[in-house]
Amino acid sequence: MIFLTFSLLLILVTSDAEPQNVALRGRATHSTNVGSPSAAINAIDGNTDPLWARGTCFSSQSELSPWWRVDLLKTHKISHITITNRGDCCADYINGVEILIGDSLANNGNNNPRCAKITAIPLAGTQTFQCNDMAGRYVNLIRTGISGHLTFCEVQVFGVPLNNCYYHT
């Protein structure tokens, strides 16, 4: 009788490539929006124009803890996130926002670990937040415990995909 023993070693491979804006290929959703032209996808269209009337920004309805999320379609190692605020009004609608990254959709992804908290971004301002290679498929922006609108014009998520696993025998 011959016994064969196989041992499998699972190896997770990451790319050495430079981080790119992986949000451009993602799918965006939100708790609510105020209707056209403020769809969630506007915030990942690659257009940093800060004027809401041009249809390049996102805005939620006024609600408690409004949130926005991009699904990157697979887990990425995220180095940093750059956010462009509106330029026509409402600069404070981004104040207090938490940037969350993870693989869970529990509570719409709003239970994932925090990368950063936005204090303020000026009108038409752009700010970058370092995430130190946090891994996740979902990036959420949420105004936790704050009642009001959530609005911004672009979210750029710079990262590299965690490649598929392969088995070594």
Side-chain angles (χ1 to χ4, degrees), residues 33-51:
N33 75 0
V34 295
S36 185
S38 64
I41 197 167
N42 292 350
I44 58 168
D45 63 2
N47 187 339
T48 58
D49 185 335
L51 299 180

Side-chain angles (χ1 to χ4, degrees), residues 1 32 44 47 58 67 70 73 76 81-83 87 104 121 124 133 143-144 148 167:
M1 205 181 269
T32 62
I44 58 168
N47 187 339
F58 163 75
W67 58 267
V70 61
L73 306 179
H76 287 73
I81 295 174
T82 300
I83 299 173
S104 173
I121 301 175
D133 292 333
R143 293 184 82 194
T144 303
Y167 292 94

Side-chain angles (χ1 to χ4, degrees), residues 46-85:
N47 187 339
T48 58
D49 185 335
L51 299 180
W52 181 82
R54 293 187 183 148
T56 63
C57 301
F58 163 75
S59 183
S60 74
Q61 294 179 10
S62 182
E63 62 182 313
L64 179 63
S65 301
W67 58 267
W68 174 93
R69 179 180 69 236
V70 61
D71 177 353
L72 302 174
L73 306 179
K74 65 192 233 179
T75 301
H76 287 73
K77 209 169 56 168
I78 299 170
S79 63
H80 62 283
I81 295 174
T82 300
I83 299 173
T84 301
N85 202 5

